[in-house]
Amino acid sequence: MVQFRTNGKSFRDICLLVPVQDLFFIDPERIDSGATTLSPLSTTLFQVDDSDDGIWGDYDYSEDDYEDYASDNTTIIDDVFSSSNETDEDQDQDTEEDKLKRFKEGKESLKDLPPDVYCGLVTRLAQRCYEGSILELWEYDWQTIKDLTQRDIIEDLNRAKINPWSRGEADFEQYLGGIKRNESGAIISAEATWVQYFNRVPEGADLVVQGGIGLEFEKSDIDSLNWEEHLIKVTGQLDGVNGTNVVSHTSRSFNDISFEAVYFDIYKMGLGYIIMFFYTVFMLGRINWLESRLYLSGVGIFSCILGLGAAFGISFLLGFEYNQTHHMLPFIAIGIGIDDVFVIMETWYNVHNSRFRTASLEEKIGRTLQTAGASVTVTSVTDVLAFSLGAFTIMPGLQAFCVSAAICIACVFLLQVSWFVAWLSLDQRRIQQGRHAILPCIKIDATNYDANAEEGEADPWLKKIFSFYTQLVNSRLFQALALVITLSLLGFGIYGSINIQQRFDPSRLLPGGSYLRRWLNFQKEYFPLFGFGAKVYTGELDYLDMAGLNTMNAQMEEIAQPGPNRILRVVESWWPEFKNFLNQHNKTWEEIENQNDFQTELSDFLYSVDYARYQHNFKFDGQLVCGEPAPKILATRDRIWYGMSSSLPPPSEYLPAISRVDDIVDSGNFTQAFAISPIYQAWETDAIIATELGRNLSLALLAVALVSLVFLANFLICMLVMACVLLTLVDLVGALHFWGITIDVLSCINIVMSAGLCVDYSVHLAHAFITASGTRRERVNKALVSLGPAILNGGTTTFLALIVLPFSQSHVFITFFKVFCLTVVFGLFHGLVFLPVSLVLLAPEKKTRETNTSTSVNNEAFQSDFVDVRL
């Protein structure tokens, strides 16, 4: 491996340094004659390049000050350790138990040193990077590791009692996975090993915001991120060498990979837009050189893009941040915007082919907006209000998305009823002047085109299909079949909605072949109890808080005990070690009766050889000085690691676990104390996601009901529209269960979006029904033939925009596809099948009065005179 450097810093400059538990440690790296070790431990674990020192060349310690001080006090030190008369040969023959015993006796002898001598030595303790690896057995000595045999590795792992790297007690078994043992319990093989590196972020460093959906695993500065990038690159190069799998996981990995998956698939989103564009061109006009609507189709799509851009700009001005959920906004803009385009164009053709055929262009445009404007206003206002109410959530990501979606829909609506209609007027003028559809500067002979066809009629074949469909809607057999299918779908929907799981699984956001997905799989297989880590912080502490510390830590240790109710795997706290320190000096924490004694004992504890590594766990109001009482404690930090049934436990485990840990922290009755972990963002979201989803859907349905009632002015029809929306949502959630989707942040946002989209399929038809005249059967027929093609085209274009997303590697896009595909299918079914049947069976008849003016323009193809509808 190439040595790591960033901004002139090596790995040791950015790693978390902890004191070596040995006053007389001399780092082998600085000895010119070569590396040395404390014990004759040896093996060959990895194949390495002889010519390269690897990243371990970064460990360049300077112990000159230490050696000078030690040499000045040789007499005192020799007196302390004069009790040992063993020769080097005798020591080489010692067992690991003997070495551990002598190791502890040596540390016990330090009590006899004069305070000034002891402080002079302990303040010069060597520091090494805090890591976790079986390579610590051989102090990362390259030559020693190269010469190891398989037998050496096994023997050293079983014998080791002292960690040569930290000079503390050893526990290398925790770094092994897939362990196999012999009858006596000794390790004979392992299938995996775990290596950990810990970086430190200096106080005051500029933190790098990595973005994403709130799943950064640690805060990082630029140096740490550069190191992580280097580590990912190196492990990627080593992966597969000599048949060995090497995978890594860093704080930047999750967002790097998830963002990469999304942006890598953006071209697929563009491909979907292209497919949708050509379909729109095909359906808006005729495929000839005069009546093709090529530019008008482009303007309709571009209006959606303009609205999207405006929404992003306004949202950012309001202070909302961009997150991964915003990747779905382009589909919202297109889905709703193109639906408005088809409604406007369908109404235009209805007006253009009515008795106003010879009217001026201005009058026909006005009458088009008179009807289509009302229809798209109903749906747009409903969608805007639904998303606006959804913004009243405690989830910042969902709030930012709902605000952006509401602004986007409003902007798209304004552009479609103004800018797009203006382009429609220009494009129709082009057709009237006989100008080329692609090269408007060229005039063509319009008499060459079909003069018998209805002028400007875009899709007569689709109207013919819907004309035939109206006969089915009036059939009793079809009505019964439609109701049976609706009830069957409702049954499956209710069953799936009841059984759908509520769970956030980070691995689902990662492509299957990514290194982090493989890392999670390895962890799940070989280290199932290695759960996420958390930190427990307290505020200011004094001697009166020791009882609370004891209570809190006792309960933490209790839930870390093996058994069915185990929550934690490891509790790494300074408090139990502080009690051990007091016991070694024949004291207990209950005997400390004032603040000065507490601060004095704490200072001695933090400057002891065994426990100096816990200095990182404190934030003092001043500098900690050996031999003097510790300053006032401003904050403390402990670490815990979860260890439930698996490394990625279900909500039924981690939600009670996080609640239990919070209760334990509160039991200390500190002025301020809390546990925190980056994964808590996801876990706590899971705790409220069901409530938030129900709340947002309820608000969306309330918005649909209010707007529909105001604009449709008919309670029964409003309830039928509500039924269509509700049935679509129930069927959607139920189908998601069978399609492998769980309730998490992404699916929640998508379901909320679907509530805004599916209303369009029903409201347009309901509005057309109300404005039509005749019996209810006739009104249903007219509504289906006049706006049925537009509704079907709107759903089809939405589906075409999504058609390439199943091939995406991004869970964001795949979830989006599944939700919106089902929304289109169920929305069209309830809007074009269930609602017409319900209107035929349940809608009231109405009285009409013929007049010379009317607001019912879109159905003129089916009536000779306009009618003024009085409800």
Side-chain angles (χ1 to χ4, degrees):
M1 288 187 288
V2 180
Q3 285 193 4
F4 168 75
R5 287 281 173 180
T6 177
N7 298 324
K9 300 176 182 177
S10 66
F11 173 65
R12 188 179 187 276
D13 296 322
I14 65 173
C15 73
L16 177 62
L17 294 170
V18 294
V20 177
Q21 299 178 45
D22 188 348
L23 281 174
F24 310 105
F25 167 71
I26 304 296
D27 188 359
E29 291 286 337
R30 66 181 302 276
I31 301 178
D32 296 335
S33 58
T36 61
T37 58
L38 294 182
S39 60
L41 304 176
S42 47
T43 182
T44 172
L45 187 60
F46 300 109
Q47 298 294 326
V48 296
D49 186 355
D50 295 349
S51 62
D52 196 344
D53 289 336
I55 62 172
W56 319 119
D58 293 333
Y59 295 119
D60 49 349
Y61 300 97
S62 176
E63 302 293 340
D64 294 338
D65 294 338
Y66 169 79
E67 290 182 23
D68 292 341
Y69 190 92
S71 61
D72 292 338
N73 296 276
T74 302
T75 303
I76 298 175
I77 296 171
D78 286 345
D79 290 342
V80 172
F81 293 99
S82 60
S83 60
S84 177
N85 296 317
E86 296 182 7
T87 64
D88 292 340
E89 182 178 353
D90 293 332
Q91 293 183 8
D92 288 341
Q93 297 175 356
D94 284 347
T95 65
E96 286 296 315
E97 287 75 11
D98 293 333
K99 292 177 183 178
L100 180 61
K101 180 180 179 181
R102 190 172 64 252
F103 174 76
K104 293 181 177 180
E105 290 175 350
K107 289 188 175 182
E108 187 70 18
S109 302
L110 295 176
K111 298 177 182 179
D112 299 327
L113 286 174
D116 58 334
V117 175
Y118 176 82
C119 284
L121 290 173
V122 78
T123 54
R124 290 171 172 80
L125 279 175
Q127 291 184 322
R128 276 184 160 176
C129 290
Y130 182 38
E131 301 170 14
S133 169
I134 62 172
L135 295 180
E136 293 179 348
L137 260 173
W138 309 283
E139 297 190 84
Y140 300 101
D141 182 77
W142 228 233
Q143 188 59 47
T144 300
I145 293 173
K146 283 173 76 295
D147 295 336
L148 294 171
T149 66
Q150 186 71 22
R151 181 175 179 178
D152 293 333
I153 298 175
I154 299 301
E155 289 181 353
D156 292 348
L157 285 171
N158 284 296
R159 291 188 307 166
K161 301 298 181 183
I162 298 175
N163 187 330
W165 182 255
S166 65
R167 296 304 197 271
E169 295 186 30
D171 181 17
F172 291 106
E173 185 177 321
Q174 62 177 315
Y175 303 126
L176 300 176
I179 297 175
K180 295 182 181 179
R181 304 176 184 274
N182 59 18
E183 294 180 355
S184 62
I187 298 174
I188 58 175
S189 69
E191 299 180 47
T193 184
W194 179 299
V195 180
Q196 291 178 302
Y197 301 99
F198 296 88
N199 292 350
R200 70 180 186 276
V201 178
E203 188 173 349
D206 293 330
L207 299 180
V208 178
V209 179
Q210 302 177 50
I213 60 171
L215 202 62
E216 300 86 356
F217 284 91
E218 292 289 348
K219 297 299 183 182
S220 303
D221 62 351
I222 188 63
D223 292 331
S224 296
L225 290 179
N226 288 341
W227 153 250
E228 292 172 7
E229 182 180 7
H230 174 76
L231 178 64
I232 294 169
K233 179 181 177 181
V234 171
T235 54
Q237 293 171 348
L238 293 176
D239 187 28
V241 175
N242 297 325
T244 302
N245 294 311
V246 182
V247 289
S248 59
H249 172 206
T250 69
S251 64
R252 69 177 296 157
S253 294
F254 187 88
N255 280 324
D256 281 355
I257 295 175
S258 56
F259 263 110
E260 181 182 354
V262 170
Y263 285 115
F264 181 76
D265 288 332
I266 282 182
Y267 79 91
K268 295 177 182 176
M269 181 174 66
L271 180 60
Y273 272 46
I274 294 173
I275 296 173
M276 180 189 59
F277 169 73
F278 283 110
Y279 178 83
T280 304
V281 172
F282 179 76
M283 299 306 298
L284 285 190
R286 287 183 169 184
I287 307 302
N288 58 54
W289 295 121
L290 177 66
E291 297 165 309
S292 175
R293 301 283 189 173
L294 178 69
Y295 294 122
L296 187 62
S297 300
V299 167
I301 294 176
F302 190 59
S303 299
C304 302
I305 297 175
L306 287 177
L308 179 66
F312 279 136
I314 296 173
S315 298
F316 297 156
L317 284 175
L318 293 176
F320 293 99
E321 295 185 357
Y322 184 90
N323 59 66
Q324 286 195 26
T325 60
H326 285 80
H327 297 317
M328 296 175 284
L329 271 183
F331 296 101
I332 292 291
I334 287 294
I336 293 178
I338 293 299
D339 180 70
D340 292 345
V341 166
F342 277 112
V343 170
I344 292 172
M345 291 302 299
E346 195 68 34
T347 305
W348 160 261
Y349 288 128
N350 290 336
V351 172
H352 190 68
N353 297 314
S354 68
R355 67 187 180 88
F356 287 97
R357 187 188 193 99
T358 59
S360 66
L361 177 62
E362 292 77 9
E363 183 177 356
K364 287 189 284 188
I365 291 291
R367 291 188 176 275
T368 297
L369 283 181
Q370 187 178 18
T371 299
S375 184
V376 299
T377 298
V378 173
T379 57
S380 297
V381 171
T382 301
D383 293 335
V384 170
L385 185 57
F387 281 112
S388 298
L389 292 176
F392 291 95
T393 175
I394 62 175
M395 297 169 58
L398 179 59
Q399 182 185 59
F401 175 82
C402 287
V403 170
S404 300
I407 297 173
C408 178
I409 295 170
C411 292
V412 170
F413 164 71
L414 294 175
L415 286 168
Q416 298 294 32
V417 298
S418 58
W419 197 64
F420 173 78
V421 173
W423 278 95
L424 169 61
S425 176
L426 293 175
D427 195 59
Q428 188 60 32
R429 223 177 244 124
R430 173 192 62 78
I431 293 176
Q432 292 175 356
Q433 295 175 1
R435 294 187 176 276
H436 198 282
I438 299 178
L439 301 173
C441 57
I442 300 176
K443 282 195 173 185
I444 60 177
D445 186 4
T447 60
N448 295 331
Y449 299 95
D450 186 7
N452 295 322
E454 292 180 320
E455 182 184 349
E457 182 69 27
D459 51 356
W461 60 272
L462 200 52
K463 283 188 178 294
K464 292 177 182 178
I465 292 176
F466 271 90
S467 295
F468 173 76
Y469 176 64
T470 58
Q471 300 176 25
L472 293 177
V473 172
N474 293 314
S475 167
R476 292 295 184 184
L477 179 61
F478 181 84
Q479 292 170 0
L481 181 62
L483 293 177
V484 169
I485 294 176
T486 301
L487 292 176
S488 299
L489 289 176
L490 178 61
F492 280 107
I494 293 175
Y495 177 82
S497 299
I498 293 174
N499 290 280
I500 191 169
Q501 291 185 354
Q502 176 190 324
R503 181 178 185 179
F504 175 75
D505 186 352
S507 64
R508 297 170 70 96
L509 296 174
L510 304 170
S514 65
Y515 70 86
L516 184 53
R517 184 68 173 268
R518 292 174 57 212
W519 186 93
L520 290 172
N521 292 337
F522 276 121
Q523 182 195 32
K524 186 176 181 179
E525 180 178 0
Y526 296 112
F527 301 93
L529 295 182
F530 276 45
F532 291 99
K535 298 173 183 176
V536 179
Y537 290 94
T538 69
E540 296 182 2
L541 294 180
D542 57 28
Y543 79 103
L544 296 176
D545 293 308
M546 289 190 294
L549 288 169
N550 194 62
T551 299
M552 181 182 72
N553 278 272
Q555 294 184 57
M556 289 286 189
E557 292 292 345
E558 180 181 347
I559 62 174
Q561 299 301 314
N565 298 321
R566 184 177 189 177
I567 294 176
L568 302 179
R569 178 178 63 89
V570 174
V571 178
E572 188 180 281
S573 171
W574 64 274
W575 174 253
E577 305 296 352
F578 180 64
K579 292 198 299 180
N580 291 337
F581 172 80
L582 293 176
N583 291 335
Q584 293 168 7
H585 293 76
N586 300 319
K587 300 177 183 178
T588 63
W589 64 269
E590 292 94 340
E591 298 174 0
I592 299 177
E593 298 179 348
N594 57 67
Q595 182 67 14
N596 185 70
D597 290 348
F598 173 63
Q599 292 175 312
T600 300
E601 295 293 349
L602 184 62
S603 177
D604 293 343
F605 164 72
L606 294 177
Y607 272 109
S608 62
V609 175
D610 287 338
Y611 307 116
R613 64 185 184 277
Y614 289 106
Q615 291 181 15
H616 291 288
N617 292 53
F618 291 85
K619 179 72 175 178
F620 291 105
D621 185 18
Q623 185 175 0
L624 182 67
V625 179
C626 181
E628 298 180 8
K632 179 182 178 181
I633 299 175
L634 298 179
T636 68
R637 179 188 64 198
D638 292 336
R639 289 179 179 269
I640 57 176
W641 278 267
Y642 284 92
M644 289 167 273
S645 64
S646 69
S647 55
L648 292 174
S652 58
E653 290 187 33
Y654 62 67
L655 292 180
I658 191 175
S659 177
R660 176 61 176 149
V661 169
D662 288 341
D663 290 341
I664 290 176
V665 173
D666 293 340
S667 69
N669 294 320
F670 305 109
T671 303
Q672 184 179 15
F674 57 91
I676 189 170
S677 171
I679 194 60
Y680 279 10
Q681 300 173 63
W683 288 1
E684 291 178 351
T685 299
D686 266 348
I688 63 172
I689 192 67
T691 303
E692 289 296 302
L693 177 59
R695 177 178 163 280
N696 279 273
L697 286 180
S698 299
L699 291 174
L701 291 173
L702 178 62
V704 171
L706 291 176
V707 175
S708 300
L709 188 60
V710 170
F711 282 89
L712 300 180
N714 187 299
F715 181 78
L716 177 59
I717 295 178
C718 176
M719 289 299 100
L720 289 177
V721 170
M722 285 289 296
C724 290
V725 175
L726 188 58
L727 287 171
T728 299
L729 291 176
V730 173
D731 294 348
L732 166 66
V733 176
L736 289 176
H737 166 68
F738 294 105
W739 210 347
I741 297 296
T742 59
I743 297 298
D744 57 20
V745 178
L746 291 176
S747 60
C748 173
I749 291 175
N750 278 278
I751 293 170
V752 171
M753 285 192 299
S754 67
L757 284 180
C758 68
V759 67
D760 293 9
Y761 303 124
S762 304
V763 169
H764 288 313
L765 192 72
H767 182 264
F769 173 82
I770 288 177
T771 58
S773 63
T775 66
R776 62 188 179 198
R777 288 179 181 271
E778 293 173 342
R779 293 157 66 196
V780 169
N781 294 345
K782 293 173 182 179
L784 280 172
V785 176
S786 62
L787 278 187
I791 296 171
L792 181 61
N793 283 329
T796 303
T797 52
T798 301
F799 178 78
L800 289 176
L802 308 172
I803 197 170
V804 296
L805 293 188
F807 307 100
S808 171
Q809 293 293 314
S810 168
H811 180 66
V812 175
F813 282 154
I814 292 175
T815 301
F816 185 83
F817 167 77
K818 291 181 178 180
V819 173
F820 272 68
C821 178
L822 294 172
T823 300
V824 170
V825 172
F826 291 132
L828 288 177
F829 173 80
H830 291 108
L832 295 179
V833 178
F834 173 74
L835 181 59
V837 169
S838 299
L839 290 173
V840 169
L841 296 175
L842 301 176
E845 299 287 358
K846 69 173 182 179
K847 296 180 180 181
T848 61
R849 178 174 54 87
E850 294 187 1
T851 63
N852 293 326
T853 60
S854 172
T855 60
S856 182
V857 183
N858 61 315
N859 294 297
E860 290 183 12
F862 306 96
Q863 58 192 71
S864 58
D865 297 306
F866 286 102
V867 293
D868 185 15
V869 180
R870 303 289 183 181
L871 299 181

